[in-house]
């Protein structure tokens, strides 16, 4: 009944949108679009790599300007993705380590169907490795001018062949005039941050931009010490020619923060301010390997990225309709993870203490009563060194009504991992709760539960040839098609147990074909529809082989096959724009592993739904953005969960962001804005036995321009201090652990532009 209701609702919604906007815009679409309206241009997803008008694109893409990003005031890169229709982003883990889900695509954590690009090239071609998803490698600052977010569409054919979501960040470029900005930021959680950016002209047709930040804070959830520290510096150089431009950039980042994890929500002292990490437990000794070797670890380091991303592009328009675009990028650094991870439900101290009653704090010596609530906390260490180089070349020939593009994509990538995870010990359940002595497994054993230690080395390469063509059948009707032939190679070895013996070895060489077919019909001025069908794949990377080694040995290729159908409606007028897209996805061969080393669950998932992106703006200064998604997911093939909904995928979500500009008589002006986000219930597990309640979150802000040069911004996130959950415990869905959204925070900044 529920599925039929959702399907009926979806059908009615599509009909109402088309009918309402056809009548509402009947007069407007006959008029010439205002010359004052800024036409939105997109570059992500185009076969040629060159820009097109957003309303002419035959796929669903959202764009966010520098001002849009400022109003959203995201605390991490992944938090910005929450503003993209069709995306469910769990940014409650802190500055790194988000979980990002694409409309109906399955996943149990990280971001398996997300690619983050910088200047049109993927930062790291594997979208997700264990303890590393793409958004961890990118930090927002004042050097970013724009972000585009492409869902589905031609994604399976272009760039790294990501069938899900591609987010592309574009850097600022210099101009003839030297200009810049200095900004100081603080908050009610004692954030101290300074940003700066400057740009200008170095020589004729040669421009520069340079900027970055330095920051420090105890974190949104106070750790008692400066748990979030970071710095970043970016340089972007652009040379312009009569027929194009050449660009090179480098971005150096060293930024980390505490990894916020699920907490025991049935304990009265635990709320959205709770933080496992604190002064009394940040340092610990971890034993590993068959000989019980030990290392001292500072778990206050959390998760982060210490490395560089450098690259560039060449974009030329040549004679006789020829054009060339080449993008290249090189990434290298460390993406380590240090965290205190809950294991199982909390218990009374008296049930585990050697004395049957009390135990003492390992740091303070405090004697805790038997009624004290304690929990096993795992001390997880993951050291990860990564490196990648990617080049994407596209050559295009343009005819009177057609274009043909031939491209060659090549990437090499590596990841060297050292893990010691598990390592459980009983801790007091309170923020920064210390470990206890007087409990046998704490004092005399390496771990109170399981542990898993590995040392692995992985190298991979992907090369792909793609050909695409588009043709304008009439002035209003066009079609495009593309095909990609990809070869994927992996060499990977794992030493499980850290005993010097290779337990798993992989030598993999497989190829796959991806294709897409689309049509775009502008049946009226600035009003049209598009349709697209795509068939792509997600190739396996290092952890896929470790988690599914038996299946690999038996001959499985471990390729996830992805089929997508899209039908979109778009309308762009003087004072509003509407993009509505219906979608159907099927993903075959998805795998879910609750705990590293545990057996993998192999699934086929299907999903259908509708996403809406609506923007309204007036001359009076009022604007409104509304984006929403309604979807139905189903596990259609599974050993045990057939017919269930996909875990952690809300059936509906809505985000509304109004904004109002106010002019004052003294020359000052201000912008009042806010965002209301509402999300429905979700299941915490594929078994659909644990429900995560829906919630509503409210954010408010004001930007005041005191002069043309001086600006202030005040932003309040989670105004009502909602105690909502983004996830349960992915390692034990039946436990009482859950991860809260971030608590209410107040941020303030003042900037000077010159």
């Amino acid at each position: 009944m529920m599925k039929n209701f959702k399907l009926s609702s979806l059908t009615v919604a599509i009909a109402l949108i088309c009918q309402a906007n056809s009548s509402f815009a009947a007069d407007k679409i006959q008029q010439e679009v205002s010359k004052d309206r800024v036409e939105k241009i997109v570059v992500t997803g185009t076969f040629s790599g060159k820009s097109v008008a957003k309303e002419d694109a035959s796929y669903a893409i959202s764009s966010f300007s520098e001002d849009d990003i400022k109003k959203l005031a995201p605390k991490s890169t992944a938090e910005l993705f929450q503003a993209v229709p069709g995306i469910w982003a769990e940014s409650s883990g802190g500055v790194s380590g988000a979980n990002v889900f694409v409309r109906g695509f399955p996943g149990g954590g990280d971001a398996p169907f997300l690619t983050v690009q910088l200047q049109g090239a993927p930062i790291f071609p594997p979208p997700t490795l264990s303890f590393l998803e793409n958004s961890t490698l990118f930090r927002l600052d004042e050097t970013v001018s724009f972000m585009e977010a492409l869902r589905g569409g031609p994604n399976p054919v272009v760039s790294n062949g990501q069938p899900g979501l591609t987010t592309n960040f574009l850097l600022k470029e210099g101009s003839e005039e030297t200009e810049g900005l200095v900004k100081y930021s603080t908050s009610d959680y004692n954030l101290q941050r300074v940003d700066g950016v400057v740009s200008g002209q170095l020589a004729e047709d040669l421009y520069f931009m340079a900027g970055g930040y330095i920051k420090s804070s105890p974190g949104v959830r106070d750790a008692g010490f400066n748990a979030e520290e970071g710095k970043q510096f970016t340089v972007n150089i652009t040379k312009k020619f009569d027929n194009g431009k050449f660009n090179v950039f480098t971005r150096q980042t060293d930024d980390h923060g505490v990894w916020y994890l699920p907490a025991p929500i049935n304990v009265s002292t635990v709320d959205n301010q709770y933080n496992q990490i604190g002064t009394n437990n940040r340092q610990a000794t971890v034993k590993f390997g068959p000989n019980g070797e030990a290392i001292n670890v500072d778990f206050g380091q959390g998760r982060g990225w210490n490395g560089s991303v450098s690259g560039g592009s060449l974009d030329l328009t040549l004679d006789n309709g020829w054009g060339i675009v080449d993008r290249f990028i090189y990434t290298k650094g460390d993406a380590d993870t240090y965290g205190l991870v809950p294991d199982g439900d909390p218990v009374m101290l008296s049930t585990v203490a050697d004395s049957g009653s009390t135990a003492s704090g390992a740091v303070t010596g405090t004697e805790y009563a038997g009624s004290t609530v304690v929990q096993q906390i795992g001390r997880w260490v993951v050291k990860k060194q990564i490196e990648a180089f990617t080049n994407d070349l596209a050559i295009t020939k343009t005819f009177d009504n057609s274009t043909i593009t031939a491209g060659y994509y090549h990437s090499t990538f590596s990841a060297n991992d050292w893990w010691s995870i598990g390592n459980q010990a009983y801790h007091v359940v309170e923020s920064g709760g210390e470990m206890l002595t007087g409990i046998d497994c704490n004092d005399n054993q390496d771990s109170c539960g399981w542990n898993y230690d590995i040392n692995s080395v992985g190298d991979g390469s992907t090369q792909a040839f793609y050909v695409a063509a588009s043709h304008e059948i009439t002035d209003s009707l066009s079609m495009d098609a593309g095909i990609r032939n990809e070869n994927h190679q992996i060499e990977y070895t794992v030493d499980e147990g850290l005993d010097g013996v290779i337990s798993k070895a992989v030598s993999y060489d497989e190829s796959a074909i991806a294709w897409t077919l689309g049509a775009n019909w502008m049946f009226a001025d600035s009003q049209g529809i598009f349709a697209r069908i795509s068939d792509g794949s997600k190739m396996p990377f290092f952890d896929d082989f470790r988690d599914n080694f038996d299946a690999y040995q038996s001959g499985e290729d471990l390729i996830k096959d992805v089929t997508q159908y899209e039908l979109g409606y778009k309308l762009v007028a003087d004072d509003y724009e509407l993009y509505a897209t219906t979608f159907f996805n099927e993903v075959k061969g998805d795998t879910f592993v609750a705990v590293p080393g545990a057996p993998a669950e192999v699934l086929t998932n299907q999903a259908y739904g509708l996403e809406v992106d609506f923007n309204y703006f007036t001359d009076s200064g009022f604007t409104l953005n509304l984006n929403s998604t309604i979807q139905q997911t189903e596990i259609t093939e599974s050993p045990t969960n057939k017919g269930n909904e996909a875990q952690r995928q809300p059936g509906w979500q809505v985000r509304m962001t109004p904004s109002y500009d106010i002019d004052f008589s003294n020359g000052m002006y201000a912008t009042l804005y806010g965002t209301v986000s509402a999300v429905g219930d979700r299941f915490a597990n594929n078994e659909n036995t644990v429900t995560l309640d829906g919630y509503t979150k409210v954010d408010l802000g004001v930007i005041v321009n005191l002069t043309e040069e001086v600006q202030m911004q005040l932003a309040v996130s989670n105004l009502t201090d909602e105690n909502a959950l983004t996830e349960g415990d992915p390692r034990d869905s039946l436990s009482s652990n859950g991860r809260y959204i971030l608590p209410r925070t107040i941020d303030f900044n003042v900037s000077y532009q010159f």
Side-chain angles (χ1 to χ4, degrees):
M1 184 179 297
M2 182 59 69
K3 292 178 182 177
N4 291 336
F5 171 76
K6 288 186 176 181
L7 180 59
S8 300
S9 301
L10 175 59
T11 306
V12 171
I14 298 171
L16 288 176
I17 288 173
C18 293
Q19 180 179 354
N21 283 283
S22 294
S23 58
F24 180 68
D27 296 329
K28 286 183 176 293
I29 61 176
Q30 301 300 323
Q31 302 172 3
E32 181 178 354
V33 177
S34 170
K35 294 181 180 179
D36 296 331
R37 181 175 62 81
V38 177
E39 185 177 51
K40 290 189 176 181
I41 301 297
V42 297
V43 298
T44 309
T46 61
F47 296 123
S48 65
K50 294 182 179 293
S51 61
V52 299
K54 182 178 178 180
E55 59 260 36
D56 292 334
S58 57
Y59 46 84
I61 186 168
S62 298
S63 52
F64 299 86
S65 68
E66 180 183 2
D67 288 339
D68 295 330
I69 296 173
K70 181 182 297 184
K71 291 177 184 178
L72 292 167
K75 288 186 169 55
S76 67
T77 303
E79 192 165 290
L80 175 59
F81 300 158
Q82 295 176 356
V84 181
I87 303 304
W88 172 245
E90 299 173 348
S91 59
S92 51
V95 297
S96 300
N99 302 312
V100 182
F101 302 94
V102 183
R103 53 184 189 192
F105 283 60
D110 294 317
F113 293 99
L114 164 70
T115 290
V116 174
Q117 293 184 347
L118 180 57
Q119 299 287 85
I123 291 178
F124 192 56
T128 283
L129 300 177
S130 293
F131 304 102
L132 177 64
E133 42 75 40
N134 269 200
S135 75
T136 291
L137 307 177
F138 188 83
R139 298 292 188 274
L140 292 167
D141 64 11
E142 295 296 325
T143 66
V144 173
S145 69
F146 207 70
M147 184 195 82
E148 295 176 343
L150 168 63
R151 290 89 67 197
N155 259 340
V157 172
V158 297
S159 190
N160 64 326
Q162 170 62 264
L165 170 68
T166 295
T167 58
N168 184 17
F169 291 89
L170 304 179
L171 297 173
K172 294 178 179 177
E173 295 182 356
S175 62
E176 282 79 7
E177 294 187 7
T178 300
E179 56 188 4
L181 174 145
V182 177
K183 182 171 75 173
Y184 167 72
S185 304
T186 188
S187 70
D188 61 343
Y189 54 92
N190 199 26
L191 168 69
Q192 301 297 310
R193 173 168 172 153
V194 176
D195 286 76
V197 63
V198 62
S199 63
Q201 187 176 37
L202 294 172
E204 185 177 0
D205 296 327
L206 181 64
Y207 307 96
F208 79 96
M209 182 278 297
Y213 68 85
I214 184 169
K215 70 166 188 176
S216 179
S217 86
V220 173
R221 295 180 174 132
D222 188 5
F225 58 92
N226 283 335
E228 293 186 0
E229 294 186 309
K231 55 183 179 291
Q232 180 169 270
F233 183 68
T234 304
V235 176
N236 190 28
I237 305 295
T238 304
K239 172 65 176 178
K240 294 187 177 180
F241 311 106
D242 292 338
N243 62 336
K245 67 179 181 180
F246 177 68
N247 160 263
V248 290
F249 65 88
T250 186
R251 191 175 184 88
Q252 311 289 321
T253 307
D254 183 1
D255 192 308
H256 65 86
V258 163
W259 183 24
Y260 301 137
L261 287 144
I265 61 176
N266 60 351
V267 178
S268 60
T269 57
V270 173
D271 57 15
N272 61 17
Q273 296 279 359
Y274 178 82
N275 186 359
Q276 279 97 347
I277 288 283
T279 302
N280 289 337
N281 63 25
R282 63 181 289 188
Q283 289 184 285
T285 299
V286 172
K287 293 183 178 181
F288 60 90
N291 299 321
E293 296 180 67
I295 55 171
N296 297 319
V297 179
D298 176 11
F299 289 92
Q301 299 173 79
R303 296 184 74 162
W305 167 238
N306 183 6
S308 63
V309 180
S310 305
S313 63
L314 176 67
D315 184 345
L316 296 176
T317 299
L318 306 177
D319 295 336
N320 301 317
W322 289 95
I324 182 172
V325 175
D326 185 69
R327 295 189 173 103
F328 54 93
I329 193 166
Y330 175 70
T331 300
K332 184 177 182 180
D334 298 327
D336 297 340
T337 295
Y338 303 89
L340 299 184
V341 183
D343 187 57
D345 289 317
V347 297
M348 292 295 179
L349 173 58
S350 59
T351 65
V352 295
D354 294 346
S355 67
S357 56
T358 66
S360 299
V363 174
T364 66
T366 301
E367 185 176 5
Y368 291 91
S371 59
T372 302
V373 180
V374 299
Q375 185 179 32
Q376 285 190 30
I377 300 292
R379 293 157 293 180
W380 289 24
V381 179
V382 176
K383 299 180 181 181
K384 189 183 295 285
Q385 297 176 335
I386 65 169
E387 185 173 9
F389 176 74
T390 298
N391 192 85
D392 189 2
L393 171 67
I395 300 175
T396 300
K397 170 65 175 176
T398 302
F399 303 93
D400 290 340
N401 297 311
S402 305
T403 62
I404 297 177
T405 298
Y408 175 61
Y409 169 90
H410 186 269
S411 68
T412 58
F413 45 88
S414 66
N416 297 340
D417 284 21
W418 188 96
W419 301 9
S420 181
I421 64 175
N423 308 313
Q424 289 86 356
Y426 282 100
H427 289 65
V428 177
V429 176
E430 62 183 13
S431 288
E434 63 182 318
M435 191 180 77
L436 298 169
T437 63
I439 301 175
D440 180 63
C441 63
N442 278 18
D443 298 334
N444 303 313
Q445 301 174 32
D446 294 341
S447 176
C448 292
W450 60 273
N451 57 24
Y452 185 65
D453 302 338
I454 69 169
N455 186 8
S456 67
V457 177
D459 292 280
S461 67
T462 300
Q463 61 175 344
F465 295 92
Y466 57 92
V467 177
S470 62
H471 178 67
E472 294 182 1
I473 301 173
T474 68
D475 290 341
S476 59
L477 178 62
S478 63
M479 294 190 67
D480 65 75
I483 188 169
R484 173 191 183 96
N485 184 4
E486 175 175 308
N487 176 256
H488 188 70
Q489 299 181 23
I490 295 289
E491 299 291 329
Y492 180 57
T493 56
V494 187
D495 166 12
E496 292 177 302
L498 299 179
D499 56 6
V501 177
I502 301 302
S503 57
K504 295 175 180 176
V506 173
S507 184
Y508 182 86
D509 188 339
E510 292 285 345
S511 296
I513 300 293
W515 57 268
T516 184
L517 177 65
N520 189 59
W521 179 33
M522 302 300 293
F523 55 82
D525 186 16
S526 297
Q527 184 176 199
I529 59 174
F530 70 84
R532 181 169 297 278
I533 177 174
S534 299
D535 189 85
S537 60
K538 180 183 180 295
M539 288 294 195
F541 293 92
F542 310 124
D543 305 281
D544 297 306
F545 293 100
R546 189 189 64 251
D547 292 337
N548 304 276
F549 192 68
D550 291 341
Y552 163 70
Q553 283 191 312
S554 66
E556 296 288 338
D557 61 18
L558 304 184
I559 298 174
K560 297 177 177 65
D561 297 311
V562 182
T563 302
Q564 300 181 74
Y565 299 85
E566 297 170 276
L567 177 63
Y569 169 77
K570 49 194 175 181
L571 173 61
V572 179
D574 288 350
D575 52 5
Y576 70 95
E577 59 182 19
L578 170 69
Y579 297 89
T581 305
T582 61
F583 59 88
F584 172 83
N585 308 326
E586 181 180 66
V587 181
K588 294 182 178 180
D590 182 61
T591 59
F592 173 68
V593 178
V595 177
E601 180 184 2
V602 182
L603 312 165
T604 294
N605 285 68
Q606 290 184 354
Y608 60 87
L610 167 70
E611 61 181 32
V612 175
D613 189 356
F614 175 76
N615 291 282
Y616 175 70
F617 28 86
T618 67
D619 293 337
S620 63
F622 176 76
T623 64
L624 174 68
N625 169 259
L626 174 67
N627 76 69
S628 61
T629 306
I630 180 172
Q631 67 177 1
Q632 175 65 52
T633 65
E634 182 180 357
I635 300 173
T636 58
E637 294 182 21
S638 168
T640 56
N641 296 314
K642 184 176 180 180
N644 291 349
E645 293 186 20
Q647 62 178 323
R648 290 156 66 178
Q649 296 264 359
W652 62 269
Q653 52 182 320
V654 177
R655 291 182 181 86
M656 181 173 63
T657 303
S659 174
Y660 184 66
D661 296 331
I662 305 172
D663 291 321
F664 298 98
S665 57
N666 61 358
M668 293 172 50
Y669 63 95
T671 301
L672 300 175
Y673 64 91
T675 298
V676 179
S677 305
V679 60
D681 295 348
R682 296 136 287 138
F683 288 111
N685 55 355
N686 285 329
E687 291 76 18
N688 290 183
T689 56
V690 179
T691 299
L692 301 171
D693 294 334
Y695 62 88
T696 299
K697 176 174 173 282
V698 179
D699 305 322
L700 290 178
V702 58
I703 300 172
V704 179
N705 291 271
L706 300 176
T707 67
E708 290 185 0
E709 296 84 15
V710 180
Q711 183 183 89
M712 298 189 303
Q713 180 181 17
L714 180 70
V716 182
S717 178
N718 194 5
L719 177 69
T720 60
D721 204 24
E722 185 77 14
N723 252 338
L725 298 177
T726 62
E727 63 173 289
D729 187 339
R731 287 156 291 277
D732 182 4
S733 60
L734 298 181
S735 76
S736 60
N737 300 314
R739 180 147 55 184
Y740 288 107
I741 64 174
L742 297 179
R744 177 175 53 234
T745 57
I746 303 174
D747 292 82
F748 173 80
N749 66 69
V750 57
S751 61
Y752 176 75
Q753 301 181 63
F754 57 88

